[in-house]
């Protein structure tokens, strides 16, 4: 993925920042609460006066000043976080600034001469913060953290972040707390106590935030080039079951040795004996027996440098292939070379054309040997290195466990075509939009789709097979054949998607209806709960929340929007009148009540009938209302004028005789309501924890792929559908697997690791970028 600015990166920054900010508020709150508890315990057993004084001050800051401390802490950290992930911060006129060079980590600076004047206390504080940050860093998942640093670099448009200076470095949070505590006036001793408590409590919480941030960025498609290990799984291998590796070697691992000789076995379908530019490829094999030219002519610095790399490749020099690839993927270097590349020799092209016409285009060990023979006889070292690199691309494809074996076998048939295309066009590796590269990417993506039916007789696989038959049979020099093939494969994929949509249509419609009812019910209960205060009789509260809310829910679901809104307003207005009718009144309000009662009772009876409320419950509630109204009329006649009986209610009659809902007037009464009543009427549906969860769920993207753990083992699934309110999610896989999960369940499984995002199958560009990564030191 390119790190250039675009909508996807902007969306990813927003999602990432939201997650970090929401999570940070919860983390800070919990950390301060845990710190206060711990400090209080230490204070109870401490006997030294000076230590007790520091503990008391730290406890005061963590508890009594927690709101101010927490807010400053979060704001300080987020300011640094924003500067780190936003490449345009500090830019002029919104233009992107140049990539920021890596800066040394704090630990790397320690021990160097300090030129500025720093007090002993400040220096000691800095060392203490470094120690605590290292303690936290050592207890988080190193692999997840490394992946997150790479993704942050992608967001920021830079090469990378130093180990202790990435946006979620524990050192940044510790420094932010220290600055916040300073602003709260805390002494040095109190600040050190708070930092120590934080370092004890932070690792588990920080590790969870790292995992969550990775998940969100993966869902947003932030998958920069990283040093992946391409592993071979015996249960899914399609082409190397007979290829024996030396003990302890991991195929595809940077620097791993590969078996001697260019081909691992007679059954090998890929040119898989070349490793990470190891010395067993076409170029190295040619070095001893062939006097091939390098494939370059002319003079100039660029030509000389590439010639040196080609000499090294022919002699098996480590890193030589990598140097050649770095030239071949760079448009500017290719332009600088001009016409220095010699054209590919015709006998080699004719030999490759013959291989294209073999039975079903299958690549076998015999055909690979023929390619090697022709390269040695008629190809230059540049041709041989080009074939090596193409072969390594297919090695990665062959080792990708996400790809169905049936699709791998079809893709491997394109090796000869790909070698020929790369020989004819030296810019093959530099052209991201090369039609053949795009074709390989489209087929790879289809082969990694958990929903796709890729059985032997499936329409999709047979269609891919026909497309590759046509490509291998028709490709000569014109690239249009690849463009046409891309359109055909995309049509096959779209047809497969339509088929799955039809299969899920009924389930999706049911889920939409279920969610709409749940949303409407929650809206109705919320609207009613906002109008109920402690003065409302329990029978009225229960009637409104349990029964009348159903009528309002149905009003929301009416197809015609204007009718739905009108019915909703009528139902809500009736509920307000009901609440007011049961409240204590003044004598001058009796006449208004007498006017309202007939209309209100008729509307209530109609509503009861509409929701099919059982007759005994209807009669019981209407009898209760009659008794309540009779009692309140009698009390109102004897009540002193201007009493405070109903003046602080949420529903009240104004001077103009109109009954209105006034939330501000009843705020105090609402807060003083009995806890039991509040829990019945208005249970908090979503707290701060749910707010953080919704941020994680909002980052889920339809079409993303996951690994779902189950009793029968993990399986690959696709997020096939998300409900309009993002409360229901359908995960699907072939064959006939459609799992509808509620938001809470998805959240729980993501956090518990039962549902794990899966990186998409790598594109040709991803593979080339991995091949260019430096070899690790041996």
């Amino acid at each position: 993925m390119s790190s250039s600015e675009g909508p996807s990166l902007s969306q990813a920054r927003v999602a990432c920042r939201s997650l970090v900010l929401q999570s940070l508020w919860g983390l800070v709150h919990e950390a301060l609460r845990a710190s206060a508890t711990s400090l209080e315990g230490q204070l109870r057993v401490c006997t030294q006066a000076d230590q007790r004084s520091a503990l008391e001050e730290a406890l005061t800051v963590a508890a009594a000043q927690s709101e101010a401390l927490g807010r400053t802490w979060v704001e300080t950290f987020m300011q640094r976080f924003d500067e780190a992930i936003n490449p345009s911060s500090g830019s002029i006129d919104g233009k992107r600034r140049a990539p920021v060079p890596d800066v040394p980590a704090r630990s790397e600076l320690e021990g160097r001469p300090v030129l500025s004047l720093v007090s002993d206390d400040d220096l000691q504080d800095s060392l203490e913060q470094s120690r605590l940050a290292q303690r936290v860093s050592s207890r988080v998942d190193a692999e997840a953290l490394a992946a997150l640093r790479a993704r942050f670099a992608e967001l920021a448009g830079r090469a990378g972040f130093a180990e202790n200076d990435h946006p979620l470095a524990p050192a940044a949070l510790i420094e932010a707390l220290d600055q916040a505590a300073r602003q709260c006036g805390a002494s040095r001793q109190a600040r050190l106590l708070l930092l120590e408590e934080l370092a004890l409590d932070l690792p588990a919480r920080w590790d969870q935030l790292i995992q969550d941030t990775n998940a969100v960025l993966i869902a947003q498609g932030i998958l920069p080039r990283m040093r992946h290990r391409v592993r071979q799984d015996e249960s899914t291998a399609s082409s190397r079951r007979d290829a024996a590796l030396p003990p302890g070697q991991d195929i595809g691992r940077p620097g791993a040795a590969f078996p001697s000789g260019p081909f691992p076995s007679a059954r090998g379908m890929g040119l898989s004996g070349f490793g990470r530019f190891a010395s067993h490829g076409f170029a190295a094999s040619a070095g001893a027996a062939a006097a091939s030219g390098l494939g370059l002519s002319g003079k100039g610095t660029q030509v000389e440098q590439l010639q040196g790399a080609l000499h090294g490749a022919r002699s098996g020099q480590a890193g030589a292939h990598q140097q050649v690839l770095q030239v071949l993927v760079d448009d500017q270097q290719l332009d600088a070379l001009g016409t220095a590349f010699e054209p590919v020799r015709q006998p080699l092209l004719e030999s490759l054309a013959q291989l294209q016409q073999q039975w079903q285009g299958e690549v076998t060990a015999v055909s690979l040997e023929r390619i090697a023979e022709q390269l040695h006889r008629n190809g230059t070292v540049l041709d041989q290195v080009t074939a090596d690199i193409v072969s390594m691309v297919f090695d990665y494809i062959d080792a990708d466990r996400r790809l169905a074996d049936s699709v791998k076998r079809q893709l491997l048939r394109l090796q000869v075509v790909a070698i020929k295309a790369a020989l004819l066009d030296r810019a093959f590796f530099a052209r991201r939009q090369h039609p053949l590269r795009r074709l390989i990417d489209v087929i790879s993506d289809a082969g990694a789709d958990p929903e796709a039916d890729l059985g032997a007789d499936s329409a999709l696989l047979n269609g891919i097979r026909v497309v590759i038959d046509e490509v291998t049979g028709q490709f000569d020099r014109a690239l249009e054949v690849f463009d046409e093939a891309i359109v055909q494969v995309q049509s096959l994929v779209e047809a497969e998607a339509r088929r799955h949509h039809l299969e899920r249509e009924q389930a999706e419609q049911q889920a939409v209806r279920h969610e709409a009812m749940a949303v409407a019910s929650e809206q109705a209960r919320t609207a009613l709960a906002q109008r109920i205060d402690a003065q409302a009789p329990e029978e009225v509260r229960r009637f409104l929340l349990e029964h009348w809310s159903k009528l309002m829910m149905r009003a929301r679901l009416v197809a015609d929007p204007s009718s739905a809104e009108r019915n909703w307003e009528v139902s809500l207005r009736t509920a307000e009148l009901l609440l007011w009718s049961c409240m204590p009144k003044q004598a001058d309000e009796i006449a208004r009540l007498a006017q309202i009662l007939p209309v209100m009772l008729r509307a209530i009876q109609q509503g009861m009938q509409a929701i099919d409320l059982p007759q005994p419950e209807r009669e019981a509630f209407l009898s209760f209302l009659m008794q309540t109204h009779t009692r309140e009329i009698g009390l109102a006649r004897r009540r002193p004028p201007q009493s405070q009986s109903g003046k602080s209610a949420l529903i009240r009659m104004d001077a103009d005789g109109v009954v209105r809902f006034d939330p501000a007037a009843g705020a105090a009464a609402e807060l003083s309501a009995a806890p039991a009543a509040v829990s019945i009427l208005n249970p908090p549906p979503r707290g701060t924890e749910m707010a953080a969860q919704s941020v994680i769920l909002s980052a889920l993207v339809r079409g993303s792929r996951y690994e779902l753990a189950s009793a029968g083992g993990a399986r690959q699934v696709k997020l096939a559908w998300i409900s309009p309110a993002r409360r229901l999610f359908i995960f699907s896989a072939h064959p006939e697997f459609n799992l509808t999960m509620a938001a809470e369940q998805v959240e729980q499984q993501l956090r518990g690791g039962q549902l794990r995002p899966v990186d998409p199958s790598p594109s040709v560009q991803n593979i080339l970028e991995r091949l260019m990564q430096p070899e690790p030191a041996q």
Side-chain angles (χ1 to χ4, degrees), residues 554-623:
R554 295 184 181 184
R556 269 283 189 250
L557 298 177
V558 173
D560 178 34
S562 60
S563 297
E565 188 63 27
R566 184 171 58 254
N567 294 343
W568 173 272
E569 291 297 332
V570 170
S571 301
L572 189 57
R573 175 64 175 164
T574 302
E576 293 173 351
L577 293 176
L578 172 60
L579 287 165
W580 179 80
S581 72
C582 297
M583 289 168 49
K585 293 175 179 57
Q586 296 292 314
D588 59 356
E589 295 177 322
I590 295 176
R592 182 60 175 149
L593 176 62
Q595 292 177 344
I596 289 174
L597 279 179
V599 178
M600 182 195 74
L601 291 174
R602 185 164 55 251
I604 289 176
Q605 288 175 327
Q606 292 174 349
M608 289 176 169
Q609 184 176 358
I611 62 176
D612 296 323
L613 187 66
Q615 189 64 31
E617 294 188 47
R618 297 189 202 182
E619 295 176 355
F621 185 68
L622 291 173
S623 175

Side-chain angles (χ1 to χ4, degrees), residues 260-277:
S260 299
F263 311 110
S265 72
R267 293 180 61 185
M269 298 187 68
L271 305 184
S272 51
F274 306 113
R276 276 293 304 269
F277 301 139

Side-chain angles (χ1 to χ4, degrees), residues 14 58 64 91 101 106 124 148 163 174 245 296 402 445 503 529 548 556 605 615 632 641-642 654 748 765:
V14 171
S91 62
R106 175 195 300 272
Q124 188 63 36
L148 184 60
E163 183 177 356
I174 290 173
L245 288 176
L296 290 175
R402 291 160 292 190
D445 188 66
E503 292 175 351
W548 201 252
R556 269 283 189 250
Q605 288 175 327
Q615 189 64 31
E632 288 303 325
Q642 305 302 323
D654 289 342
Q748 181 182 9
Q765 182 63 29

Side-chain angles (χ1 to χ4, degrees), residues 323-343:
Q323 295 173 25
V324 175
L325 179 57
Q326 288 172 345
V327 173
L328 297 180
V329 300
D330 191 324
D331 285 326
Q332 294 183 352
Q333 293 199 59
L334 289 177
D335 291 342
L337 286 167
T339 59
F341 293 114
E342 296 177 2

Side-chain angles (χ1 to χ4, degrees), residues 36 57 108 152 163 221 238 244 248 294 403 422 447 497 527 531 549 566 576 583 602 633 651 659 732:
E57 182 185 2
E108 296 172 3
F152 277 145
E163 183 177 356
S238 65
L294 295 178
L403 278 174
R531 288 157 172 79
S549 62
R566 184 171 58 254
E576 293 173 351
M583 289 168 49
R602 185 164 55 251
I633 291 173
I651 308 293
V659 175
S732 65

